[in-house]
Amino acid sequence: MYSTTSNQQLTDLAASYGTPLYVYNADKISEQYQQLQTAFEGVNSRFFFACKALTNINILKHIRSLGCNIDCSSINEAHLAIRAGFDPKNILYTSNGIAFDEIETAVDLGINVNIDSLSNLEKFGKKYGHNYPVGIRLRPNILAGGNLKISTGHEKSKFGIPIEQLDQLLALVKQYNIYIAGLHIHTGSEIKDVAVFMQVADIFFDLVPHFPEIHFLDLGGGFKVPYKEEEAGTDIPLLSAKVQESLKNLAATYQRNFQVWFEPGKFLVSECGSFITQVNVLKENAAATFVGINSGFNHLIRPMFYEAYHRIRNISNPDGPIKHYAVTGNICETDTFAWDRPLNEVREGDLLVFDNAGAYGFEMGSNYNSRFLPAQVMIKNGVAFLIRKRDVLEDILRNQIELD
Ligand code: LLP
């Protein structure tokens, strides 16, 4: 579970590039992908990396080099994927709430598209009829996922076409003779229970007769990875076995073969990432000892936004006695990373490392308080490469138009 990058290497990188610093171990990404490949060997499946988790172009190129496909959530991500060398047929654009012109661009690029509204489906039908295969994203009304904010399949969720609107959907498909190539359901992130994926597979099973041309069934992403010491992730071999069973049933029932698609984000890149910060100030208080670090929710918002747990380690004093701390940021807001957290004794200047920082860390960062985005380093075959420079003041001013 823990960072595959050693404390010594992290300390050296902090000395070379400064902090705060994101470090990604590409070899860990390869290992995660290999786990999927091994588990799904012989299963008619394709994996698309949900790149919203981490879009640095070098990470994308590394993931392409593994033979993995890519899932995008904006047209800009699709452009990045092309730039990273992905073949358009290996790019998927799972859109939500987008303007139709992005779908037109996606078609021009020749990439796969999942459409998530009746409105865009109708526009699509009018323009392309049967000329371009398309997937449809459905909302199954299943509540799953680590917390409500990352749960996307329930009945109050904006995502997908609600399953109860199937009649309207089928009417549009018929009216415009739309080429529906696949069905898509992503119920959320951090789904540990394989049964949730199988619930979706059962829904697909019942829908197949309505869509004679579909050949892929996209179960989305959301594989859980362990964040806490005692946690387990999604049982990937079990998932594979169940999916295989389900594909066999489908083939036997409908006399044709289907391919299963997945869009893992966290599974591929969460654990590869370490976020190195440094302690600016210690502040004793009746309620807690505050450890003020040189970062904040502008760099890693998951603890504040989702109350997500990230393991924190004091790599400068790994043998120090355990004490309890409130780890807070330097943003002018309440940005608490952890409360009452046991850490090896913390001193000003120590390096605190956040684990599982690869997915949705840097990506959800911002320049709030006019602070700089951190630098990013990728380690590949043991060698470290700077893959993004730390911001400088010019970056903050870049698009501002300074009037006289
Ligand atoms: N496919 C679709 C359609 C998605 O919306 C997402 C995530 C994924 C795949 C990838 O899910 P993953 O395998 O990474 O769990 N920012 C949140 C996670 C929500 C991401 C939104 N969609 C977090 O930091 O926990």
Side-chain angles (χ1 to χ4, degrees):
M1 134 178 206
Y2 302 129
S3 156
T4 40
T5 309
S6 71
N7 286 358
Q8 188 56 53
Q9 198 161 16
L10 292 171
T11 306
D12 293 346
L13 289 171
S16 303
Y17 300 107
T19 60
L21 184 71
Y22 272 100
V23 178
Y24 309 105
N25 198 322
D27 302 331
K28 178 64 178 165
I29 302 176
S30 312
E31 195 185 303
Q32 292 296 102
Y33 184 64
Q34 194 48 49
Q35 260 193 56
L36 295 176
Q37 290 303 291
T38 306
F40 279 81
E41 202 182 339
V43 182
N44 190 4
S45 54
R46 285 181 87 189
F47 292 90
F48 297 76
F49 168 52
C51 73
K52 75 202 85 179
L54 183 58
T55 54
N56 185 286
I57 190 90
N58 302 285
I59 299 288
L60 301 187
K61 285 182 182 175
H62 175 69
I63 284 177
R64 177 178 59 77
S65 77
L66 301 175
C68 188
N69 310 294
I70 188 163
D71 174 52
C72 303
S73 60
S74 74
I75 200 65
N76 292 345
E77 286 183 356
H79 288 304
L80 282 178
I82 302 264
R83 170 85 171 254
F86 284 90
D87 187 321
K89 66 176 188 303
N90 298 333
I91 303 175
L92 173 61
Y93 182 14
T94 304
S95 63
N96 90 85
I98 61 167
F100 185 63
D101 63 3
E102 287 200 16
I103 293 179
E104 292 174 306
T105 307
V107 170
D108 292 343
L109 292 173
I111 66 179
N112 303 287
V113 187
N114 285 324
I115 290 183
D116 102 317
S117 68
L118 290 177
S119 164
N120 273 337
L121 189 65
E122 176 154 31
K123 291 172 197 154
F124 188 89
K126 275 187 187 150
K127 176 140 188 187
Y128 302 106
H130 199 264
N131 294 328
Y132 200 86
V134 72
I136 36 181
R137 179 173 189 173
L138 298 164
R139 195 194 69 196
N141 301 337
I142 295 174
L143 181 62
N147 63 67
L148 199 57
K149 281 198 180 122
I150 56 174
S151 173
T152 53
H154 58 88
E155 47 202 26
K156 286 189 181 158
S157 164
K158 67 166 184 171
F159 294 97
I161 299 170
I163 201 107
E164 60 274 18
Q165 292 174 7
L166 181 64
D167 287 348
Q168 284 159 267
L169 189 154
L170 292 174
L172 283 179
V173 172
K174 192 167 170 214
Q175 183 180 355
Y176 299 105
N177 189 21
I178 304 172
Y179 180 177
I180 304 294
L183 302 177
H184 170 283
I185 288 179
H186 168 83
T187 55
S189 201
E190 296 183 29
I191 296 172
K192 180 167 174 293
D193 190 359
V194 167
V196 173
F197 292 99
M198 300 335 293
Q199 237 179 306
V200 171
D202 288 347
I203 293 174
F204 285 155
F205 192 96
D206 294 337
L207 288 173
V208 163
H210 297 289
F211 302 97
E213 292 179 301
I214 58 171
H215 59 86
F216 74 83
L217 299 170
D218 185 341
L219 290 168
F223 305 160
K224 177 160 177 52
V225 292
Y227 280 83
K228 288 188 178 153
E229 283 79 348
E230 68 279 9
E231 266 178 353
T234 309
D235 184 338
I236 301 296
L238 176 68
L239 178 66
S240 168
K242 294 279 180 196
V243 163
Q244 190 160 24
E245 207 178 291
S246 170
L247 287 179
K248 272 192 190 146
N249 270 340
L250 278 159
T253 309
Y254 299 114
Q255 298 299 304
R256 59 198 177 94
N257 290 321
F258 297 88
Q259 187 170 58
V260 69
W261 289 10
F262 286 106
E263 304 158 356
K266 279 181 189 158
F267 183 83
L268 289 173
V269 298
S270 173
E271 291 161 283
C272 81
S274 310
F275 182 46
I276 316 173
T277 64
Q278 190 160 29
V279 178
N280 283 339
V281 286
L282 283 174
K283 202 185 262 186
E284 291 288 347
N285 192 293
T289 301
F290 290 99
V291 174
I293 61 174
N294 62 350
S295 180
F297 71 35
N298 53 325
H299 297 157
L300 180 62
I301 202 172
R302 302 191 72 257
M304 302 83 184
F305 201 42
Y306 308 117
E307 298 194 3
Y309 178 97
H310 280 261
R311 188 174 190 241
I312 306 173
R313 295 177 293 127
N314 182 357
I315 62 167
S316 301
N317 191 19
D319 300 318
I322 298 290
K323 298 192 170 177
H324 287 243
Y325 299 96
V327 181
T328 53
N330 57 5
I331 285 298
C332 199
E333 302 257 357
T334 300
D335 55 349
T336 308
F337 287 102
W339 186 261
D340 198 21
R341 179 68 67 90
L343 294 172
N344 295 107
E345 184 172 20
V346 178
R347 294 115 5 137
E348 291 186 359
D350 280 356
L351 296 175
L352 296 194
V353 171
F354 290 74
D355 289 332
N356 281 81
Y360 309 106
F362 182 92
E363 283 317 304
M364 294 176 80
S366 75
N367 288 113
Y368 186 42
N369 282 191
S370 293
R371 292 217 169 261
F372 300 149
L373 282 169
Q376 293 176 299
V377 164
M378 177 174 76
I379 300 172
K380 202 168 170 170
N381 302 321
V383 184
F385 301 90
L386 184 66
I387 56 171
R388 184 183 169 110
K389 292 184 283 189
R390 185 178 309 288
D391 279 354
V392 291
L393 198 60
E394 223 14 69
D395 294 312
I396 307 273
L397 285 163
R398 185 178 309 282
N399 290 321
Q400 296 191 30
I401 297 169
E402 197 172 355
L403 304 177
D404 287 339

PDB file of all heavy atoms in Angstrom, residues 48 50 71 184-191 197 218-224 261-265:
ATOM      1  N   PHE A  48      -9.425   1.686 -19.571  1.00  0.00           N
ATOM      2  CA  PHE A  48      -9.184   3.074 -19.965  1.00  0.00           C
ATOM      3  C   PHE A  48      -8.815   3.846 -18.690  1.00  0.00           C
ATOM      4  O   PHE A  48      -9.635   3.928 -17.760  1.00  0.00           O
ATOM      5  CB  PHE A  48     -10.456   3.695 -20.571  1.00  0.00           C
ATOM      6  CG  PHE A  48     -10.924   3.036 -21.847  1.00  0.00           C
ATOM      7  CD1 PHE A  48     -11.582   1.813 -21.824  1.00  0.00           C
ATOM      8  CD2 PHE A  48     -10.706   3.644 -23.068  1.00  0.00           C
ATOM      9  CE1 PHE A  48     -12.018   1.205 -23.004  1.00  0.00           C
ATOM     10  CE2 PHE A  48     -11.130   3.049 -24.251  1.00  0.00           C
ATOM     11  CZ  PHE A  48     -11.785   1.828 -24.219  1.00  0.00           C
ATOM     12  N   ALA A  50      -8.775   6.641 -16.284  1.00  0.00           N
ATOM     13  CA  ALA A  50      -9.559   7.872 -16.085  1.00  0.00           C
ATOM     14  C   ALA A  50      -8.572   8.987 -15.744  1.00  0.00           C
ATOM     15  O   ALA A  50      -8.181   9.174 -14.589  1.00  0.00           O
ATOM     16  CB  ALA A  50     -10.581   7.678 -14.971  1.00  0.00           C
ATOM     17  N   ASP A  71      -9.450   7.308 -20.640  1.00  0.00           N
ATOM     18  CA  ASP A  71     -10.797   7.879 -20.530  1.00  0.00           C
ATOM     19  C   ASP A  71     -10.677   9.348 -20.161  1.00  0.00           C
ATOM     20  O   ASP A  71      -9.929   9.704 -19.247  1.00  0.00           O
ATOM     21  CB  ASP A  71     -11.590   7.131 -19.441  1.00  0.00           C
ATOM     22  CG  ASP A  71     -12.943   7.774 -19.179  1.00  0.00           C
ATOM     23  OD1 ASP A  71     -13.693   7.983 -20.142  1.00  0.00           O
ATOM     24  OD2 ASP A  71     -13.247   8.075 -18.009  1.00  0.00           O
ATOM     25  N   HIS A 184     -22.950   2.431 -20.604  1.00  0.00           N
ATOM     26  CA  HIS A 184     -21.982   2.839 -19.590  1.00  0.00           C
ATOM     27  C   HIS A 184     -22.693   3.162 -18.285  1.00  0.00           C
ATOM     28  O   HIS A 184     -23.708   3.866 -18.277  1.00  0.00           O
ATOM     29  CB  HIS A 184     -21.241   4.093 -20.093  1.00  0.00           C
ATOM     30  CG  HIS A 184     -20.379   4.748 -19.050  1.00  0.00           C
ATOM     31  ND1 HIS A 184     -20.883   5.543 -18.035  1.00  0.00           N
ATOM     32  CD2 HIS A 184     -19.045   4.743 -18.865  1.00  0.00           C
ATOM     33  CE1 HIS A 184     -19.893   5.975 -17.281  1.00  0.00           C
ATOM     34  NE2 HIS A 184     -18.769   5.514 -17.762  1.00  0.00           N
ATOM     35  N   ILE A 185     -22.153   2.634 -17.195  1.00  0.00           N
ATOM     36  CA  ILE A 185     -22.619   3.042 -15.861  1.00  0.00           C
ATOM     37  C   ILE A 185     -21.402   3.139 -14.949  1.00  0.00           C
ATOM     38  O   ILE A 185     -20.621   2.185 -14.829  1.00  0.00           O
ATOM     39  CB  ILE A 185     -23.642   2.041 -15.263  1.00  0.00           C
ATOM     40  CG1 ILE A 185     -24.993   2.141 -15.998  1.00  0.00           C
ATOM     41  CG2 ILE A 185     -23.850   2.312 -13.767  1.00  0.00           C
ATOM     42  CD1 ILE A 185     -26.055   1.168 -15.503  1.00  0.00           C
ATOM     43  N   HIS A 186     -21.233   4.304 -14.332  1.00  0.00           N
ATOM     44  CA  HIS A 186     -20.184   4.478 -13.312  1.00  0.00           C
ATOM     45  C   HIS A 186     -20.914   4.889 -12.048  1.00  0.00           C
ATOM     46  O   HIS A 186     -21.526   5.958 -12.004  1.00  0.00           O
ATOM     47  CB  HIS A 186     -19.200   5.561 -13.765  1.00  0.00           C
ATOM     48  CG  HIS A 186     -18.248   6.023 -12.699  1.00  0.00           C
ATOM     49  ND1 HIS A 186     -17.090   5.349 -12.389  1.00  0.00           N
ATOM     50  CD2 HIS A 186     -18.290   7.103 -11.871  1.00  0.00           C
ATOM     51  CE1 HIS A 186     -16.450   5.998 -11.409  1.00  0.00           C
ATOM     52  NE2 HIS A 186     -17.168   7.059 -11.084  1.00  0.00           N
ATOM     53  N   THR A 187     -20.876   4.034 -11.035  1.00  0.00           N
ATOM     54  CA  THR A 187     -21.694   4.339  -9.852  1.00  0.00           C
ATOM     55  C   THR A 187     -20.970   5.206  -8.827  1.00  0.00           C
ATOM     56  O   THR A 187     -21.603   5.748  -7.936  1.00  0.00           O
ATOM     57  CB  THR A 187     -22.165   3.046  -9.140  1.00  0.00           C
ATOM     58  OG1 THR A 187     -21.017   2.264  -8.844  1.00  0.00           O
ATOM     59  CG2 THR A 187     -23.140   2.260  -9.977  1.00  0.00           C
ATOM     60  N   GLY A 188     -19.642   5.335  -8.955  1.00  0.00           N
ATOM     61  CA  GLY A 188     -18.931   6.192  -8.008  1.00  0.00           C
ATOM     62  C   GLY A 188     -17.500   5.741  -7.804  1.00  0.00           C
ATOM     63  O   GLY A 188     -17.012   4.831  -8.480  1.00  0.00           O
ATOM     64  N   SER A 189     -16.845   6.409  -6.876  1.00  0.00           N
ATOM     65  CA  SER A 189     -15.437   6.154  -6.609  1.00  0.00           C
ATOM     66  C   SER A 189     -15.313   5.420  -5.272  1.00  0.00           C
ATOM     67  O   SER A 189     -16.140   5.612  -4.377  1.00  0.00           O
ATOM     68  CB  SER A 189     -14.721   7.501  -6.543  1.00  0.00           C
ATOM     69  OG  SER A 189     -13.352   7.350  -6.760  1.00  0.00           O
ATOM     70  N   GLU A 190     -14.267   4.630  -5.137  1.00  0.00           N
ATOM     71  CA  GLU A 190     -13.991   3.860  -3.917  1.00  0.00           C
ATOM     72  C   GLU A 190     -15.070   2.818  -3.649  1.00  0.00           C
ATOM     73  O   GLU A 190     -15.660   2.761  -2.565  1.00  0.00           O
ATOM     74  CB  GLU A 190     -13.793   4.800  -2.716  1.00  0.00           C
ATOM     75  CG  GLU A 190     -12.568   5.680  -2.917  1.00  0.00           C
ATOM     76  CD  GLU A 190     -12.231   6.592  -1.753  1.00  0.00           C
ATOM     77  OE1 GLU A 190     -12.544   6.237  -0.611  1.00  0.00           O
ATOM     78  OE2 GLU A 190     -11.646   7.648  -2.020  1.00  0.00           O
ATOM     79  N   ILE A 191     -15.337   2.008  -4.663  1.00  0.00           N
ATOM     80  CA  ILE A 191     -16.316   0.933  -4.517  1.00  0.00           C
ATOM     81  C   ILE A 191     -15.576  -0.360  -4.208  1.00  0.00           C
ATOM     82  O   ILE A 191     -14.936  -0.950  -5.069  1.00  0.00           O
ATOM     83  CB  ILE A 191     -17.157   0.819  -5.800  1.00  0.00           C
ATOM     84  CG1 ILE A 191     -17.935   2.134  -5.919  1.00  0.00           C
ATOM     85  CG2 ILE A 191     -18.088  -0.377  -5.746  1.00  0.00           C
ATOM     86  CD1 ILE A 191     -18.651   2.316  -7.157  1.00  0.00           C
ATOM     87  N   PHE A 197     -20.590  -3.782  -8.783  1.00  0.00           N
ATOM     88  CA  PHE A 197     -20.311  -3.918 -10.219  1.00  0.00           C
ATOM     89  C   PHE A 197     -21.241  -4.982 -10.834  1.00  0.00           C
ATOM     90  O   PHE A 197     -21.698  -4.838 -11.965  1.00  0.00           O
ATOM     91  CB  PHE A 197     -18.841  -4.294 -10.454  1.00  0.00           C
ATOM     92  CG  PHE A 197     -17.887  -3.187 -10.089  1.00  0.00           C
ATOM     93  CD1 PHE A 197     -17.221  -3.176  -8.868  1.00  0.00           C
ATOM     94  CD2 PHE A 197     -17.658  -2.137 -10.971  1.00  0.00           C
ATOM     95  CE1 PHE A 197     -16.351  -2.153  -8.522  1.00  0.00           C
ATOM     96  CE2 PHE A 197     -16.780  -1.105 -10.641  1.00  0.00           C
ATOM     97  CZ  PHE A 197     -16.129  -1.117  -9.409  1.00  0.00           C
ATOM     98  N   ASP A 218     -19.674  -0.916 -20.353  1.00  0.00           N
ATOM     99  CA  ASP A 218     -18.665  -0.146 -19.623  1.00  0.00           C
ATOM    100  C   ASP A 218     -19.103  -0.016 -18.168  1.00  0.00           C
ATOM    101  O   ASP A 218     -20.111   0.637 -17.867  1.00  0.00           O
ATOM    102  CB  ASP A 218     -18.538   1.227 -20.310  1.00  0.00           C
ATOM    103  CG  ASP A 218     -17.440   2.092 -19.720  1.00  0.00           C
ATOM    104  OD1 ASP A 218     -17.013   1.822 -18.583  1.00  0.00           O
ATOM    105  OD2 ASP A 218     -17.038   3.057 -20.400  1.00  0.00           O
ATOM    106  N   LEU A 219     -18.340  -0.655 -17.287  1.00  0.00           N
ATOM    107  CA  LEU A 219     -18.686  -0.653 -15.851  1.00  0.00           C
ATOM    108  C   LEU A 219     -18.032   0.501 -15.099  1.00  0.00           C
ATOM    109  O   LEU A 219     -18.069   0.548 -13.868  1.00  0.00           O
ATOM    110  CB  LEU A 219     -18.279  -1.984 -15.222  1.00  0.00           C
ATOM    111  CG  LEU A 219     -19.107  -3.209 -15.659  1.00  0.00           C
ATOM    112  CD1 LEU A 219     -18.437  -4.500 -15.215  1.00  0.00           C
ATOM    113  CD2 LEU A 219     -20.513  -3.154 -15.080  1.00  0.00           C
ATOM    114  N   GLY A 220     -17.406   1.436 -15.836  1.00  0.00           N
ATOM    115  CA  GLY A 220     -16.836   2.631 -15.205  1.00  0.00           C
ATOM    116  C   GLY A 220     -15.578   2.331 -14.415  1.00  0.00           C
ATOM    117  O   GLY A 220     -14.923   1.298 -14.582  1.00  0.00           O
ATOM    118  N   GLY A 221     -15.254   3.270 -13.520  1.00  0.00           N
ATOM    119  CA  GLY A 221     -14.062   3.089 -12.683  1.00  0.00           C
ATOM    120  C   GLY A 221     -14.492   2.868 -11.253  1.00  0.00           C
ATOM    121  O   GLY A 221     -15.528   2.265 -10.986  1.00  0.00           O
ATOM    122  N   GLY A 222     -13.681   3.388 -10.320  1.00  0.00           N
ATOM    123  CA  GLY A 222     -14.107   3.357  -8.922  1.00  0.00           C
ATOM    124  C   GLY A 222     -13.536   2.242  -8.084  1.00  0.00           C
ATOM    125  O   GLY A 222     -13.987   2.041  -6.952  1.00  0.00           O
ATOM    126  N   PHE A 223     -12.545   1.499  -8.605  1.00  0.00           N
ATOM    127  CA  PHE A 223     -11.946   0.457  -7.759  1.00  0.00           C
ATOM    128  C   PHE A 223     -11.333   1.112  -6.528  1.00  0.00           C
ATOM    129  O   PHE A 223     -10.612   2.098  -6.635  1.00  0.00           O
ATOM    130  CB  PHE A 223     -10.828  -0.303  -8.485  1.00  0.00           C
ATOM    131  CG  PHE A 223     -11.235  -0.915  -9.801  1.00  0.00           C
ATOM    132  CD1 PHE A 223     -10.270  -1.245 -10.734  1.00  0.00           C
ATOM    133  CD2 PHE A 223     -12.565  -1.172 -10.097  1.00  0.00           C
ATOM    134  CE1 PHE A 223     -10.610  -1.818 -11.958  1.00  0.00           C
ATOM    135  CE2 PHE A 223     -12.923  -1.736 -11.322  1.00  0.00           C
ATOM    136  CZ  PHE A 223     -11.943  -2.052 -12.246  1.00  0.00           C
ATOM    137  N   LYS A 224     -11.612   0.528  -5.379  1.00  0.00           N
ATOM    138  CA  LYS A 224     -11.083   1.101  -4.146  1.00  0.00           C
ATOM    139  C   LYS A 224      -9.624   0.712  -3.943  1.00  0.00           C
ATOM    140  O   LYS A 224      -9.232  -0.426  -4.180  1.00  0.00           O
ATOM    141  CB  LYS A 224     -11.914   0.617  -2.953  1.00  0.00           C
ATOM    142  CG  LYS A 224     -11.374   1.126  -1.653  1.00  0.00           C
ATOM    143  CD  LYS A 224     -12.359   1.107  -0.526  1.00  0.00           C
ATOM    144  CE  LYS A 224     -11.701   1.576   0.745  1.00  0.00           C
ATOM    145  NZ  LYS A 224     -11.016   2.866   0.619  1.00  0.00           N
ATOM    146  N   TRP A 261     -15.680  -2.948 -20.456  1.00  0.00           N
ATOM    147  CA  TRP A 261     -14.736  -1.827 -20.361  1.00  0.00           C
ATOM    148  C   TRP A 261     -14.711  -1.334 -18.914  1.00  0.00           C
ATOM    149  O   TRP A 261     -15.733  -1.358 -18.217  1.00  0.00           O
ATOM    150  CB  TRP A 261     -15.159  -0.650 -21.269  1.00  0.00           C
ATOM    151  CG  TRP A 261     -14.999  -0.904 -22.735  1.00  0.00           C
ATOM    152  CD1 TRP A 261     -14.704  -2.096 -23.347  1.00  0.00           C
ATOM    153  CD2 TRP A 261     -15.153   0.061 -23.792  1.00  0.00           C
ATOM    154  NE1 TRP A 261     -14.660  -1.915 -24.707  1.00  0.00           N
ATOM    155  CE2 TRP A 261     -14.924  -0.621 -25.014  1.00  0.00           C
ATOM    156  CE3 TRP A 261     -15.458   1.431 -23.830  1.00  0.00           C
ATOM    157  CZ2 TRP A 261     -14.996   0.026 -26.252  1.00  0.00           C
ATOM    158  CZ3 TRP A 261     -15.531   2.073 -25.061  1.00  0.00           C
ATOM    159  CH2 TRP A 261     -15.284   1.380 -26.251  1.00  0.00           C
ATOM    160  N   PHE A 262     -13.540  -0.862 -18.490  1.00  0.00           N
ATOM    161  CA  PHE A 262     -13.396  -0.259 -17.160  1.00  0.00           C
ATOM    162  C   PHE A 262     -12.623   1.045 -17.299  1.00  0.00           C
ATOM    163  O   PHE A 262     -11.795   1.196 -18.205  1.00  0.00           O
ATOM    164  CB  PHE A 262     -12.617  -1.183 -16.215  1.00  0.00           C
ATOM    165  CG  PHE A 262     -13.388  -2.377 -15.736  1.00  0.00           C
ATOM    166  CD1 PHE A 262     -13.104  -3.645 -16.236  1.00  0.00           C
ATOM    167  CD2 PHE A 262     -14.386  -2.245 -14.778  1.00  0.00           C
ATOM    168  CE1 PHE A 262     -13.798  -4.755 -15.784  1.00  0.00           C
ATOM    169  CE2 PHE A 262     -15.090  -3.354 -14.322  1.00  0.00           C
ATOM    170  CZ  PHE A 262     -14.796  -4.607 -14.823  1.00  0.00           C
ATOM    171  N   GLU A 263     -12.857   1.942 -16.357  1.00  0.00           N
ATOM    172  CA  GLU A 263     -12.186   3.258 -16.384  1.00  0.00           C
ATOM    173  C   GLU A 263     -11.527   3.555 -15.040  1.00  0.00           C
ATOM    174  O   GLU A 263     -11.944   4.477 -14.323  1.00  0.00           O
ATOM    175  CB  GLU A 263     -13.229   4.352 -16.685  1.00  0.00           C
ATOM    176  CG  GLU A 263     -14.012   4.137 -17.959  1.00  0.00           C
ATOM    177  CD  GLU A 263     -15.341   4.885 -17.953  1.00  0.00           C
ATOM    178  OE1 GLU A 263     -15.699   5.522 -16.941  1.00  0.00           O
ATOM    179  OE2 GLU A 263     -16.045   4.812 -18.968  1.00  0.00           O
ATOM    180  N   PRO A 264     -10.511   2.806 -14.652  1.00  0.00           N
ATOM    181  CA  PRO A 264      -9.896   3.070 -13.349  1.00  0.00           C
ATOM    182  C   PRO A 264      -9.026   4.323 -13.345  1.00  0.00           C
ATOM    183  O   PRO A 264      -8.236   4.545 -14.266  1.00  0.00           O
ATOM    184  CB  PRO A 264      -9.020   1.817 -13.127  1.00  0.00           C
ATOM    185  CG  PRO A 264      -8.719   1.311 -14.504  1.00  0.00           C
ATOM    186  CD  PRO A 264      -9.868   1.697 -15.377  1.00  0.00           C
ATOM    187  N   GLY A 265      -9.208   5.122 -12.315  1.00  0.00           N
ATOM    188  CA  GLY A 265      -8.349   6.292 -12.118  1.00  0.00           C
ATOM    189  C   GLY A 265      -7.459   6.039 -10.913  1.00  0.00           C
ATOM    190  O   GLY A 265      -6.272   5.750 -11.016  1.00  0.00           O
TER     191      GLY A 265
END
